[in-house]
Amino acid sequence: MLSPIALARLAVFARGCEALPPGLSAEEFAQALYQANLEAWLACYPNRISELDGPSVDPGEAVALPVPAFDPMALIRTARDLLYNTGLGADDPLTTALNKTMQSAAGRLQAGAR
């Protein structure tokens, strides 16, 4: 299960690199990612529902938390895990946003390596 903070950081970065679908806020993106991740997690571990009283931090509210610095590799890992674990379709707007976010994070990683 991915951390709501990790999802919020991904959403803030996606907003900054203009990867979000039109009309979708970073808060809504974080919430949608959390819900997709939760559904996939519960499908694999149905007996663990009692452990999920809710996230310790609301993913949408976490978007407003200060982000010290973006770690491009952490962003890429989080997006990759979401794409792998949630089974989002190739034509899903969330998939498109995750792919654009990973491309932007990879660009920052390459720029930092120079």
Side-chain angles (χ1 to χ4, degrees):
M1 185 73 187
L2 292 169
S3 149
I5 298 291
L7 298 175
R9 287 185 179 155
L10 184 70
V12 170
F13 184 81
R15 177 180 59 202
C17 67
E18 300 178 358
L20 296 179
L24 192 67
S25 71
E27 293 82 0
E28 293 166 330
F29 187 59
Q31 290 285 6
L33 295 177
Y34 178 79
Q35 190 60 40
N37 188 44
L38 177 63
E39 289 171 8
W41 197 83
L42 290 176
C44 291
Y45 305 104
N47 297 331
R48 296 190 143 196
I49 293 173
S50 63
E51 294 177 20
L52 296 172
D53 294 332
S56 56
V57 176
D58 180 86
E61 292 176 10
V63 168
L65 296 174
V67 179
F70 290 109
D71 175 359
M73 281 306 298
L75 294 168
I76 292 168
R77 274 196 246 36
T78 299
R80 181 206 59 210
D81 289 352
L82 285 164
L83 288 171
Y84 179 77
N85 294 328
T86 61
L88 293 169
D91 59 344
D92 191 303
L94 295 178
T95 300
T96 303
L98 288 170
N99 284 327
K100 287 180 181 178
T101 303
M102 284 192 300
Q103 287 174 338
S104 185
R108 285 201 184 183
L109 191 63
Q110 288 176 336
R114 292 180 187 161

